[in-house]
Structures are given as C-alpha cells and as structure tokens.
Amino acid sequence: MSPTRQRRLDELQARIRLCRQCLNAGYDIYPRPIFSGGLSSRIMLIGQAPGITEKEAGRPFNAGSGTRLFQWLAQAGIDETWYRETQYLTAVTKCYPGRAKSGNGDRVPSRTEQELCRPFLNAEITLVNPQLILPVGRLAIGLFFPSNQPLNEIIGTEKLVDGRWMVPLPHSSGASRWHQTPENRQHIQEAIQLIAKRFQEIKF
Ligand code: SF4
C-alpha cells in the first residue's frame, strides 16, 4: 500500500469531515459527513445520502435500508460485518439533508448539493480504486447510467467503466416501493447474481 496514496486518502477524508459547503450555500443540512472505508477496499457502495437513522448512528446504510441491502449482499456471498470492517461505504452527498417539505421521508439532495459533493466522491473513487462499485438508488445510479433510463431496464445489468464493474441496486429503504413488486424482485435477483460473480473474481 503506497504511503502517498494513504496520506492523500487521509487528507481527503479529513477534508470531507470538515466540509460545510452545503451549509454555507444555505442548505439546512446536518453537517456530519457519513462514510467509511480505507485504501484496501475493493468494493464501494454508493448511496444517495445519509438518512435520519444514519445521521443518529453515524453509520452508513444503517437500520431498515441497510438491513435490506445487506440481505441482498448476503445472497451474493458478502457478509455484512466483513463488509463494514473492510470495504467502502459512501454516498452522493455525505451529510443528512433533513426531512422533505412534504413530511414524507428525507429530502432528496438538490442538484447544487450533489455538485458540491461530487469532487469528494470522484476523489474517493480515484484514490480507493475499487474493482466493483454498487450504486444504490436512483441518484447514485444516475452518476453512471443514463438518468432517463427506467430502473427496470438498469437493475439486473452491469457496466464496465474505467476498468471497474458497476452493478446497480435500487433504493433499499422500506419507503421505496420499487423493490416490492415480483417483477422488480426478479431484476434484483439478477443483480445479486452479477454481484456474486464479480465478487468471486476480486482478489482481496
Ligand atoms: S454533503 Fe458533501 S459537500 Fe455538502 S457539506 Fe456535506 S460533505 Fe460537504
């Protein structure tokens, strides 16, 4: 492991932890960036943004959405404890965005917030250099797949981008209805099979 890369990742993560850009831009976020992982990670999960339980626990993919997500990954042979201790978890925007005005769930981060946080995600990907990226939910999927393509045409497919496999998964929270229909569950099973295949190929 290169000491220079390690130092650059440490510096990047320190900058992320201190970041207040969205707050300074007038967004009422909770300024506590939530992510975890290090240089030896070979898999990177990218979610939309921390939810209220992630904000409270300070842990990515916590509670319901994490439970369902790691049930899917367990079917691909990936153990949650092992994953959390050794692999990377991050998000399109890393601070809790607060409740939606409608009162229905958490606010979807604005385009401006996404753009403010994007350089951090780009730098995480470049420095960590994962072999497999799992974008979870529409916002994260939209970074790598056409944003106007329906989810049922994307989930269950994979794509090689800059030498890394991308296997998208839908938002795993209970508030999302997408993963609850039999047809879409079949797409998720296809995604799980792809993840299992790529996981087997990775040399840890
Ligand atoms: S969401 Fe990202 S850009 Fe916005 S304050 Fe948090 S770390 Fe900074």
Side-chain angles (χ1 to χ4, degrees):
M1 201 179 293
S2 146
T4 309
R5 265 179 72 219
Q6 184 62 61
R7 181 178 47 74
R8 288 172 62 203
L9 184 64
D10 289 346
E11 286 171 2
L12 172 69
Q13 293 183 332
R15 270 193 292 130
I16 296 174
R17 287 192 185 96
L18 292 172
C19 180
R20 300 293 180 268
Q21 289 184 94
C22 295
L23 208 57
N24 296 341
Y27 292 97
D28 191 19
I29 56 141
Y30 184 76
R32 181 192 186 185
I34 293 174
F35 59 95
S36 65
L39 221 47
S40 58
S41 303
R42 291 286 163 270
I43 311 175
M44 182 178 282
L45 274 167
I46 306 175
Q48 173 173 298
I52 183 96
T53 62
E54 282 83 15
K55 172 214 150 195
E56 278 162 13
R59 190 171 93 132
F61 292 101
N62 198 44
S65 65
T67 302
R68 185 170 292 101
L69 175 64
F70 280 103
Q71 281 168 354
W72 293 338
L73 295 186
Q75 291 179 56
I78 299 175
D79 173 71
E80 177 174 357
T81 304
W82 170 82
Y83 190 99
R84 287 189 182 279
E85 287 174 359
T86 61
Q87 305 303 303
Y88 214 92
L89 300 105
T90 188
V92 176
T93 62
K94 303 182 202 312
C95 295
Y96 175 57
R99 302 291 288 171
K101 275 206 176 107
S102 64
N104 220 354
D106 296 325
R107 182 175 65 83
V108 176
S110 67
R111 188 170 290 274
T112 302
E113 291 162 285
Q114 294 174 48
E115 285 168 2
L116 286 170
C117 216
R118 185 66 196 266
F120 289 146
L121 182 60
N122 290 347
E124 285 172 299
I125 294 172
T126 303
L127 279 170
V128 175
N129 195 22
Q131 292 175 33
L132 175 62
I133 292 184
L134 306 175
V136 181
R138 185 84 249 183
L139 225 60
I141 291 170
L143 301 178
F144 308 105
F145 291 76
S147 53
N148 57 356
Q149 194 176 358
L151 268 193
N152 57 7
E153 291 178 11
I154 297 177
I155 306 297
T157 69
E158 63 180 354
K159 183 177 186 176
L160 194 59
V161 179
D162 299 331
R164 317 174 207 289
W165 285 106
M166 312 271 165
V167 184
L169 286 167
H171 203 298
S172 52
S173 86
S176 165
R177 298 203 177 280
W178 194 91
H179 58 74
Q180 298 181 25
T181 71
E183 185 201 338
N184 291 340
R185 279 201 206 113
Q186 181 55 38
H187 291 303
I188 294 168
Q189 284 306 312
E190 289 160 9
I192 288 167
Q193 284 170 21
L194 291 172
I195 293 168
K197 181 168 168 241
R198 297 302 166 203
F199 179 52
Q200 289 300 322
E201 291 169 357
I202 296 174
K203 292 188 176 50
F204 290 97

Short mmCIF file of all heavy atoms in Angstrom, two decimals, residues 137-197:
data_model
loop_
_atom_site.label_atom_id
_atom_site.label_comp_id
_atom_site.label_asym_id
_atom_site.label_seq_id
_atom_site.Cartn_x
_atom_site.Cartn_y
_atom_site.Cartn_z
N GLY A 137 -29.76 3.11 -5.51
CA GLY A 137 -30.79 4.15 -5.64
C GLY A 137 -30.55 5.03 -6.85
O GLY A 137 -29.45 5.11 -7.39
N ARG A 138 -31.65 5.68 -7.24
CA ARG A 138 -31.68 6.45 -8.50
C ARG A 138 -30.57 7.50 -8.62
O ARG A 138 -29.94 7.64 -9.67
CB ARG A 138 -33.05 7.13 -8.57
CG ARG A 138 -33.37 7.88 -9.80
CD ARG A 138 -33.91 7.01 -10.90
NE ARG A 138 -32.95 6.91 -11.98
CZ ARG A 138 -33.15 6.26 -13.12
NH1 ARG A 138 -34.28 5.63 -13.32
NH2 ARG A 138 -32.26 6.22 -14.06
N LEU A 139 -30.33 8.23 -7.53
CA LEU A 139 -29.36 9.32 -7.60
C LEU A 139 -27.96 8.78 -7.88
O LEU A 139 -27.24 9.31 -8.73
CB LEU A 139 -29.36 10.09 -6.27
CG LEU A 139 -29.36 11.60 -6.36
CD1 LEU A 139 -30.57 12.11 -7.09
CD2 LEU A 139 -29.30 12.19 -4.97
N ALA A 140 -27.58 7.74 -7.15
CA ALA A 140 -26.24 7.17 -7.34
C ALA A 140 -26.15 6.46 -8.70
O ALA A 140 -25.14 6.57 -9.40
CB ALA A 140 -25.93 6.19 -6.20
N ILE A 141 -27.22 5.78 -9.07
CA ILE A 141 -27.21 5.08 -10.36
C ILE A 141 -27.04 6.08 -11.50
O ILE A 141 -26.32 5.84 -12.47
CB ILE A 141 -28.51 4.26 -10.54
CG1 ILE A 141 -28.53 3.09 -9.55
CG2 ILE A 141 -28.65 3.75 -11.96
CD1 ILE A 141 -29.87 2.36 -9.47
N GLY A 142 -27.67 7.26 -11.34
CA GLY A 142 -27.62 8.30 -12.37
C GLY A 142 -26.22 8.84 -12.62
O GLY A 142 -25.98 9.51 -13.63
N LEU A 143 -25.27 8.57 -11.73
CA LEU A 143 -23.89 9.00 -11.95
C LEU A 143 -23.22 8.15 -13.03
O LEU A 143 -22.26 8.60 -13.66
CB LEU A 143 -23.06 8.86 -10.66
CG LEU A 143 -23.53 9.62 -9.43
CD1 LEU A 143 -22.62 9.31 -8.26
CD2 LEU A 143 -23.55 11.12 -9.71
N PHE A 144 -23.73 6.94 -13.24
CA PHE A 144 -23.04 6.00 -14.13
C PHE A 144 -23.91 5.49 -15.27
O PHE A 144 -23.40 4.94 -16.24
CB PHE A 144 -22.53 4.80 -13.32
CG PHE A 144 -21.73 5.18 -12.11
CD1 PHE A 144 -22.27 5.08 -10.83
CD2 PHE A 144 -20.45 5.68 -12.24
CE1 PHE A 144 -21.54 5.44 -9.71
CE2 PHE A 144 -19.71 6.05 -11.12
CZ PHE A 144 -20.26 5.93 -9.85
N PHE A 145 -25.24 5.61 -15.11
CA PHE A 145 -26.18 5.11 -16.12
C PHE A 145 -27.06 6.28 -16.56
O PHE A 145 -27.22 7.24 -15.80
CB PHE A 145 -27.07 3.99 -15.52
CG PHE A 145 -26.33 2.72 -15.23
CD1 PHE A 145 -25.51 2.62 -14.10
CD2 PHE A 145 -26.44 1.62 -16.06
CE1 PHE A 145 -24.81 1.45 -13.83
CE2 PHE A 145 -25.74 0.44 -15.79
CZ PHE A 145 -24.94 0.35 -14.67
N PRO A 146 -27.65 6.22 -17.77
CA PRO A 146 -28.48 7.34 -18.23
C PRO A 146 -29.61 7.61 -17.23
O PRO A 146 -30.32 6.69 -16.83
CB PRO A 146 -29.04 6.84 -19.57
CG PRO A 146 -28.13 5.74 -19.99
CD PRO A 146 -27.57 5.13 -18.74
N SER A 147 -29.76 8.90 -16.84
CA SER A 147 -30.73 9.21 -15.79
C SER A 147 -32.17 9.06 -16.27
O SER A 147 -33.09 8.97 -15.46
CB SER A 147 -30.49 10.62 -15.23
OG SER A 147 -30.44 11.52 -16.28
N ASN A 148 -32.39 9.04 -17.62
CA ASN A 148 -33.77 8.89 -18.10
C ASN A 148 -34.13 7.43 -18.41
O ASN A 148 -35.24 7.14 -18.84
CB ASN A 148 -34.00 9.77 -19.33
CG ASN A 148 -33.02 9.44 -20.45
OD1 ASN A 148 -32.15 8.61 -20.27
ND2 ASN A 148 -33.19 10.09 -21.59
N GLN A 149 -33.21 6.52 -18.18
CA GLN A 149 -33.50 5.11 -18.45
C GLN A 149 -34.26 4.51 -17.27
O GLN A 149 -33.85 4.69 -16.11
CB GLN A 149 -32.18 4.35 -18.67
CG GLN A 149 -32.36 2.98 -19.28
CD GLN A 149 -31.01 2.31 -19.56
OE1 GLN A 149 -29.95 2.88 -19.33
NE2 GLN A 149 -31.08 1.09 -20.04
N PRO A 150 -35.39 3.82 -17.52
CA PRO A 150 -36.15 3.27 -16.38
C PRO A 150 -35.33 2.27 -15.56
O PRO A 150 -34.51 1.54 -16.12
CB PRO A 150 -37.33 2.55 -17.06
CG PRO A 150 -37.36 3.03 -18.46
CD PRO A 150 -35.99 3.52 -18.81
N LEU A 151 -35.59 2.28 -14.26
CA LEU A 151 -34.84 1.39 -13.35
C LEU A 151 -34.96 -0.08 -13.75
O LEU A 151 -34.02 -0.85 -13.60
CB LEU A 151 -35.35 1.55 -11.92
CG LEU A 151 -34.67 2.55 -11.00
CD1 LEU A 151 -35.12 2.32 -9.58
CD2 LEU A 151 -33.15 2.51 -11.12
N ASN A 152 -36.16 -0.45 -14.25
CA ASN A 152 -36.32 -1.88 -14.57
C ASN A 152 -35.52 -2.30 -15.80
O ASN A 152 -35.41 -3.48 -16.10
CB ASN A 152 -37.79 -2.29 -14.69
CG ASN A 152 -38.53 -1.48 -15.72
OD1 ASN A 152 -37.91 -0.69 -16.44
ND2 ASN A 152 -39.83 -1.65 -15.80
N GLU A 153 -34.94 -1.31 -16.51
CA GLU A 153 -34.02 -1.66 -17.60
C GLU A 153 -32.56 -1.63 -17.12
O GLU A 153 -31.65 -2.01 -17.83
CB GLU A 153 -34.17 -0.67 -18.77
CG GLU A 153 -35.49 -0.80 -19.50
CD GLU A 153 -35.63 0.23 -20.61
OE1 GLU A 153 -34.63 0.92 -20.95
OE2 GLU A 153 -36.75 0.37 -21.13
N ILE A 154 -32.35 -1.10 -15.92
CA ILE A 154 -30.98 -0.93 -15.41
C ILE A 154 -30.63 -1.99 -14.37
O ILE A 154 -29.55 -2.57 -14.38
CB ILE A 154 -30.80 0.48 -14.79
CG1 ILE A 154 -31.01 1.55 -15.86
CG2 ILE A 154 -29.43 0.62 -14.17
CD1 ILE A 154 -30.92 2.98 -15.33
N ILE A 155 -31.58 -2.23 -13.43
CA ILE A 155 -31.30 -3.20 -12.36
C ILE A 155 -31.27 -4.60 -12.98
O ILE A 155 -32.20 -5.00 -13.69
CB ILE A 155 -32.38 -3.14 -11.25
CG1 ILE A 155 -32.54 -1.71 -10.70
CG2 ILE A 155 -32.06 -4.14 -10.13
CD1 ILE A 155 -31.33 -1.14 -10.03
N GLY A 156 -30.18 -5.32 -12.69
CA GLY A 156 -30.02 -6.64 -13.31
C GLY A 156 -29.03 -6.58 -14.46
O GLY A 156 -28.78 -7.59 -15.12
N THR A 157 -28.48 -5.36 -14.71
CA THR A 157 -27.43 -5.23 -15.73
C THR A 157 -26.14 -4.79 -15.03
O THR A 157 -26.16 -4.40 -13.85
CB THR A 157 -27.80 -4.18 -16.80
OG1 THR A 157 -27.77 -2.87 -16.20
CG2 THR A 157 -29.16 -4.46 -17.39
N GLU A 158 -25.05 -4.83 -15.76
CA GLU A 158 -23.78 -4.33 -15.23
C GLU A 158 -23.08 -3.57 -16.34
O GLU A 158 -23.44 -3.68 -17.52
CB GLU A 158 -22.91 -5.48 -14.72
CG GLU A 158 -22.52 -6.46 -15.80
CD GLU A 158 -21.67 -7.61 -15.29
OE1 GLU A 158 -21.27 -7.60 -14.13
OE2 GLU A 158 -21.39 -8.52 -16.11
N LYS A 159 -22.05 -2.82 -15.96
CA LYS A 159 -21.38 -1.98 -16.92
C LYS A 159 -19.92 -1.83 -16.48
O LYS A 159 -19.65 -1.67 -15.28
CB LYS A 159 -22.09 -0.62 -16.88
CG LYS A 159 -21.63 0.40 -17.83
CD LYS A 159 -22.56 1.60 -17.61
CE LYS A 159 -22.34 2.68 -18.57
NZ LYS A 159 -23.31 3.77 -18.39
N LEU A 160 -19.01 -1.87 -17.45
CA LEU A 160 -17.59 -1.67 -17.14
C LEU A 160 -17.25 -0.21 -17.41
O LEU A 160 -17.40 0.26 -18.54
CB LEU A 160 -16.75 -2.60 -18.01
CG LEU A 160 -15.29 -2.79 -17.64
CD1 LEU A 160 -15.13 -3.36 -16.23
CD2 LEU A 160 -14.58 -3.70 -18.65
N VAL A 161 -16.83 0.51 -16.39
CA VAL A 161 -16.48 1.93 -16.54
C VAL A 161 -15.07 2.12 -15.98
O VAL A 161 -14.83 1.84 -14.81
CB VAL A 161 -17.47 2.85 -15.78
CG1 VAL A 161 -17.07 4.33 -15.93
CG2 VAL A 161 -18.90 2.64 -16.25
N ASP A 162 -14.17 2.59 -16.82
CA ASP A 162 -12.77 2.81 -16.41
C ASP A 162 -12.18 1.58 -15.71
O ASP A 162 -11.49 1.71 -14.69
CB ASP A 162 -12.67 4.03 -15.46
CG ASP A 162 -13.12 5.31 -16.13
OD1 ASP A 162 -12.99 5.40 -17.37
OD2 ASP A 162 -13.62 6.20 -15.42
N GLY A 163 -12.51 0.42 -16.22
CA GLY A 163 -11.94 -0.81 -15.67
C GLY A 163 -12.62 -1.32 -14.41
O GLY A 163 -12.14 -2.27 -13.79
N ARG A 164 -13.72 -0.69 -14.00
CA ARG A 164 -14.43 -1.16 -12.80
C ARG A 164 -15.85 -1.60 -13.19
O ARG A 164 -16.50 -0.94 -13.97
CB ARG A 164 -14.64 -0.03 -11.77
CG ARG A 164 -13.50 0.87 -11.54
CD ARG A 164 -13.93 2.02 -10.62
NE ARG A 164 -13.12 3.19 -10.87
CZ ARG A 164 -11.85 3.28 -10.53
NH1 ARG A 164 -11.27 2.29 -9.91
NH2 ARG A 164 -11.16 4.36 -10.81
N TRP A 165 -16.29 -2.67 -12.55
CA TRP A 165 -17.66 -3.12 -12.78
C TRP A 165 -18.61 -2.31 -11.91
O TRP A 165 -18.33 -2.06 -10.74
CB TRP A 165 -17.81 -4.62 -12.47
CG TRP A 165 -17.21 -5.45 -13.54
CD1 TRP A 165 -16.04 -6.13 -13.48
CD2 TRP A 165 -17.75 -5.68 -14.85
NE1 TRP A 165 -15.80 -6.77 -14.67
CE2 TRP A 165 -16.83 -6.50 -15.54
CE3 TRP A 165 -18.89 -5.25 -15.53
CZ2 TRP A 165 -17.03 -6.92 -16.85
CZ3 TRP A 165 -19.09 -5.67 -16.83
CH2 TRP A 165 -18.18 -6.50 -17.49
N MET A 166 -19.69 -1.89 -12.54
CA MET A 166 -20.77 -1.19 -11.83
C MET A 166 -21.98 -2.11 -11.85
O MET A 166 -22.43 -2.50 -12.94
CB MET A 166 -21.20 0.09 -12.56
CG MET A 166 -20.08 0.97 -13.00
SD MET A 166 -19.71 2.11 -11.68
CE MET A 166 -18.13 2.71 -12.23
N VAL A 167 -22.49 -2.45 -10.69
CA VAL A 167 -23.73 -3.24 -10.64
C VAL A 167 -24.72 -2.46 -9.78
O VAL A 167 -24.55 -2.37 -8.55
CB VAL A 167 -23.51 -4.65 -10.05
CG1 VAL A 167 -24.81 -5.45 -10.12
CG2 VAL A 167 -22.39 -5.39 -10.79
N PRO A 168 -25.73 -1.85 -10.40
CA PRO A 168 -26.66 -1.01 -9.64
C PRO A 168 -27.70 -1.81 -8.85
O PRO A 168 -28.09 -2.91 -9.25
CB PRO A 168 -27.35 -0.17 -10.72
CG PRO A 168 -27.25 -0.98 -11.96
CD PRO A 168 -26.02 -1.84 -11.84
N LEU A 169 -28.10 -1.22 -7.74
CA LEU A 169 -29.18 -1.79 -6.92
C LEU A 169 -30.20 -0.68 -6.64
O LEU A 169 -29.82 0.50 -6.58
CB LEU A 169 -28.62 -2.30 -5.59
CG LEU A 169 -27.83 -3.61 -5.66
CD1 LEU A 169 -27.06 -3.84 -4.37
CD2 LEU A 169 -28.76 -4.79 -5.94
N PRO A 170 -31.47 -1.04 -6.44
CA PRO A 170 -32.45 0.01 -6.15
C PRO A 170 -32.32 0.51 -4.71
O PRO A 170 -31.67 -0.13 -3.88
CB PRO A 170 -33.79 -0.72 -6.34
CG PRO A 170 -33.48 -2.14 -6.01
CD PRO A 170 -32.06 -2.37 -6.46
N HIS A 171 -32.95 1.63 -4.43
CA HIS A 171 -33.00 2.15 -3.06
C HIS A 171 -33.60 1.06 -2.18
O HIS A 171 -34.64 0.48 -2.52
CB HIS A 171 -33.86 3.42 -3.03
CG HIS A 171 -33.54 4.29 -1.87
ND1 HIS A 171 -33.70 3.88 -0.58
CD2 HIS A 171 -33.06 5.55 -1.80
CE1 HIS A 171 -33.34 4.85 0.24
NE2 HIS A 171 -32.94 5.88 -0.48
N SER A 172 -32.96 0.78 -1.06
CA SER A 172 -33.35 -0.40 -0.28
C SER A 172 -34.25 -0.05 0.91
O SER A 172 -34.55 -0.92 1.71
CB SER A 172 -32.10 -1.13 0.21
OG SER A 172 -31.23 -0.24 0.86
N SER A 173 -34.65 1.21 1.03
CA SER A 173 -35.46 1.58 2.20
C SER A 173 -36.89 1.05 2.07
O SER A 173 -37.38 0.80 0.96
CB SER A 173 -35.50 3.10 2.37
OG SER A 173 -36.52 3.63 1.59
N GLY A 174 -37.54 0.92 3.20
CA GLY A 174 -38.92 0.44 3.21
C GLY A 174 -39.86 1.44 2.56
O GLY A 174 -40.95 1.08 2.11
N ALA A 175 -39.43 2.73 2.48
CA ALA A 175 -40.27 3.76 1.86
C ALA A 175 -40.34 3.58 0.35
O ALA A 175 -41.26 4.07 -0.31
CB ALA A 175 -39.73 5.15 2.20
N SER A 176 -39.35 2.89 -0.19
CA SER A 176 -39.34 2.68 -1.65
C SER A 176 -40.23 1.50 -2.00
O SER A 176 -40.13 0.43 -1.41
CB SER A 176 -37.90 2.41 -2.12
OG SER A 176 -37.93 1.88 -3.42
N ARG A 177 -41.10 1.70 -3.00
CA ARG A 177 -41.99 0.60 -3.38
C ARG A 177 -41.39 -0.22 -4.52
O ARG A 177 -41.85 -1.30 -4.81
CB ARG A 177 -43.35 1.16 -3.84
CG ARG A 177 -44.06 1.91 -2.75
CD ARG A 177 -45.57 1.97 -2.99
NE ARG A 177 -46.25 2.65 -1.90
CZ ARG A 177 -46.55 2.07 -0.75
NH1 ARG A 177 -46.24 0.82 -0.55
NH2 ARG A 177 -47.16 2.75 0.21
N TRP A 178 -40.36 0.34 -5.15
CA TRP A 178 -39.84 -0.28 -6.38
C TRP A 178 -39.45 -1.74 -6.15
O TRP A 178 -39.78 -2.61 -6.96
CB TRP A 178 -38.63 0.52 -6.90
CG TRP A 178 -38.28 0.13 -8.30
CD1 TRP A 178 -38.76 0.69 -9.46
CD2 TRP A 178 -37.42 -0.95 -8.71
NE1 TRP A 178 -38.24 0.04 -10.55
CE2 TRP A 178 -37.42 -0.97 -10.12
CE3 TRP A 178 -36.66 -1.89 -8.02
CZ2 TRP A 178 -36.69 -1.89 -10.86
CZ3 TRP A 178 -35.93 -2.83 -8.76
CH2 TRP A 178 -35.94 -2.82 -10.16
N HIS A 179 -38.75 -1.99 -5.05
CA HIS A 179 -38.21 -3.36 -4.85
C HIS A 179 -39.27 -4.33 -4.34
O HIS A 179 -38.96 -5.48 -4.05
CB HIS A 179 -37.01 -3.33 -3.90
CG HIS A 179 -37.30 -2.76 -2.55
ND1 HIS A 179 -38.03 -3.44 -1.60
CD2 HIS A 179 -36.98 -1.57 -2.00
CE1 HIS A 179 -38.13 -2.69 -0.52
NE2 HIS A 179 -37.50 -1.55 -0.73
N GLN A 180 -40.52 -3.86 -4.23
CA GLN A 180 -41.52 -4.71 -3.60
C GLN A 180 -42.38 -5.51 -4.59
O GLN A 180 -43.13 -6.36 -4.18
CB GLN A 180 -42.41 -3.86 -2.69
CG GLN A 180 -41.59 -3.22 -1.56
CD GLN A 180 -42.44 -2.38 -0.62
OE1 GLN A 180 -43.62 -2.60 -0.50
NE2 GLN A 180 -41.82 -1.41 0.04
N THR A 181 -42.29 -5.21 -5.89
CA THR A 181 -43.13 -5.95 -6.84
C THR A 181 -42.40 -7.23 -7.28
O THR A 181 -41.17 -7.25 -7.34
CB THR A 181 -43.46 -5.12 -8.09
OG1 THR A 181 -42.26 -5.00 -8.87
CG2 THR A 181 -43.97 -3.73 -7.74
N PRO A 182 -43.14 -8.30 -7.60
CA PRO A 182 -42.49 -9.56 -8.02
C PRO A 182 -41.58 -9.36 -9.22
O PRO A 182 -40.49 -9.92 -9.28
CB PRO A 182 -43.68 -10.47 -8.36
CG PRO A 182 -44.84 -9.88 -7.61
CD PRO A 182 -44.59 -8.42 -7.51
N GLU A 183 -42.02 -8.54 -10.17
CA GLU A 183 -41.21 -8.34 -11.39
C GLU A 183 -39.88 -7.68 -11.02
O GLU A 183 -38.81 -8.10 -11.49
CB GLU A 183 -41.99 -7.45 -12.37
CG GLU A 183 -41.28 -7.30 -13.69
CD GLU A 183 -41.76 -6.06 -14.45
OE1 GLU A 183 -42.89 -5.59 -14.17
OE2 GLU A 183 -41.00 -5.58 -15.29
N ASN A 184 -39.93 -6.67 -10.18
CA ASN A 184 -38.70 -5.98 -9.82
C ASN A 184 -37.82 -6.81 -8.90
O ASN A 184 -36.59 -6.70 -8.94
CB ASN A 184 -39.01 -4.61 -9.20
CG ASN A 184 -39.58 -3.67 -10.24
OD1 ASN A 184 -39.40 -3.90 -11.43
ND2 ASN A 184 -40.27 -2.63 -9.80
N ARG A 185 -38.45 -7.66 -8.09
CA ARG A 185 -37.64 -8.56 -7.26
C ARG A 185 -36.80 -9.49 -8.14
O ARG A 185 -35.69 -9.85 -7.80
CB ARG A 185 -38.56 -9.41 -6.35
CG ARG A 185 -38.97 -8.65 -5.12
CD ARG A 185 -39.40 -9.62 -4.01
NE ARG A 185 -40.33 -8.92 -3.15
CZ ARG A 185 -41.62 -9.19 -3.02
NH1 ARG A 185 -42.13 -10.21 -3.66
NH2 ARG A 185 -42.38 -8.49 -2.23
N GLN A 186 -37.36 -9.85 -9.29
CA GLN A 186 -36.61 -10.69 -10.23
C GLN A 186 -35.39 -9.93 -10.76
O GLN A 186 -34.29 -10.48 -10.86
CB GLN A 186 -37.54 -11.11 -11.39
CG GLN A 186 -36.90 -12.00 -12.43
CD GLN A 186 -36.28 -13.26 -11.82
OE1 GLN A 186 -36.82 -13.87 -10.89
NE2 GLN A 186 -35.10 -13.63 -12.32
N HIS A 187 -35.57 -8.63 -11.06
CA HIS A 187 -34.42 -7.82 -11.51
C HIS A 187 -33.34 -7.78 -10.42
O HIS A 187 -32.15 -7.83 -10.69
CB HIS A 187 -34.86 -6.39 -11.83
CG HIS A 187 -35.73 -6.29 -13.06
ND1 HIS A 187 -35.33 -6.75 -14.29
CD2 HIS A 187 -36.98 -5.79 -13.23
CE1 HIS A 187 -36.29 -6.54 -15.18
NE2 HIS A 187 -37.31 -5.96 -14.57
N ILE A 188 -33.80 -7.68 -9.17
CA ILE A 188 -32.83 -7.63 -8.05
C ILE A 188 -32.07 -8.96 -7.95
O ILE A 188 -30.86 -8.98 -7.72
CB ILE A 188 -33.55 -7.28 -6.73
CG1 ILE A 188 -34.09 -5.85 -6.81
CG2 ILE A 188 -32.60 -7.41 -5.54
CD1 ILE A 188 -35.05 -5.48 -5.70
N GLN A 189 -32.79 -10.06 -8.15
CA GLN A 189 -32.10 -11.36 -8.12
C GLN A 189 -31.04 -11.44 -9.20
O GLN A 189 -29.95 -11.99 -8.99
CB GLN A 189 -33.13 -12.50 -8.29
CG GLN A 189 -33.95 -12.78 -7.05
CD GLN A 189 -33.08 -13.03 -5.81
OE1 GLN A 189 -32.13 -13.80 -5.85
NE2 GLN A 189 -33.40 -12.34 -4.72
N GLU A 190 -31.33 -10.87 -10.37
CA GLU A 190 -30.33 -10.87 -11.46
C GLU A 190 -29.12 -10.03 -11.05
O GLU A 190 -27.97 -10.39 -11.31
CB GLU A 190 -30.97 -10.33 -12.75
CG GLU A 190 -31.97 -11.31 -13.35
CD GLU A 190 -32.96 -10.65 -14.32
OE1 GLU A 190 -32.78 -9.47 -14.66
OE2 GLU A 190 -33.91 -11.33 -14.71
N ALA A 191 -29.39 -8.90 -10.39
CA ALA A 191 -28.29 -8.05 -9.91
C ALA A 191 -27.45 -8.80 -8.88
O ALA A 191 -26.21 -8.74 -8.91
CB ALA A 191 -28.85 -6.75 -9.32
N ILE A 192 -28.10 -9.53 -7.99
CA ILE A 192 -27.39 -10.28 -6.95
C ILE A 192 -26.46 -11.32 -7.60
O ILE A 192 -25.32 -11.51 -7.18
CB ILE A 192 -28.40 -10.93 -5.98
CG1 ILE A 192 -29.04 -9.84 -5.11
CG2 ILE A 192 -27.73 -11.99 -5.11
CD1 ILE A 192 -30.26 -10.29 -4.34
N GLN A 193 -26.96 -11.97 -8.64
CA GLN A 193 -26.11 -12.96 -9.33
C GLN A 193 -24.89 -12.30 -9.96
O GLN A 193 -23.78 -12.84 -9.92
CB GLN A 193 -26.93 -13.68 -10.40
CG GLN A 193 -27.88 -14.71 -9.80
CD GLN A 193 -28.86 -15.27 -10.81
OE1 GLN A 193 -28.62 -15.22 -12.02
NE2 GLN A 193 -29.97 -15.78 -10.33
N LEU A 194 -25.07 -11.12 -10.52
CA LEU A 194 -23.93 -10.39 -11.12
C LEU A 194 -22.93 -10.00 -10.03
O LEU A 194 -21.71 -10.12 -10.21
CB LEU A 194 -24.42 -9.12 -11.84
CG LEU A 194 -25.24 -9.35 -13.12
CD1 LEU A 194 -25.83 -8.03 -13.61
CD2 LEU A 194 -24.37 -9.98 -14.20
N ILE A 195 -23.44 -9.52 -8.89
CA ILE A 195 -22.55 -9.13 -7.79
C ILE A 195 -21.76 -10.35 -7.31
O ILE A 195 -20.55 -10.29 -7.08
CB ILE A 195 -23.36 -8.49 -6.64
CG1 ILE A 195 -23.95 -7.16 -7.09
CG2 ILE A 195 -22.47 -8.28 -5.40
CD1 ILE A 195 -25.00 -6.58 -6.15
N ALA A 196 -22.46 -11.49 -7.17
CA ALA A 196 -21.78 -12.72 -6.71
C ALA A 196 -20.65 -13.08 -7.66
O ALA A 196 -19.54 -13.44 -7.23
CB ALA A 196 -22.79 -13.86 -6.62
N LYS A 197 -20.91 -12.96 -8.95
CA LYS A 197 -19.90 -13.31 -9.97
C LYS A 197 -18.70 -12.37 -9.87
O LYS A 197 -17.55 -12.81 -9.81
CB LYS A 197 -20.56 -13.20 -11.35
CG LYS A 197 -19.67 -13.55 -12.50
CD LYS A 197 -20.50 -13.70 -13.77
CE LYS A 197 -19.59 -13.75 -14.98
NZ LYS A 197 -19.84 -12.67 -15.91
#
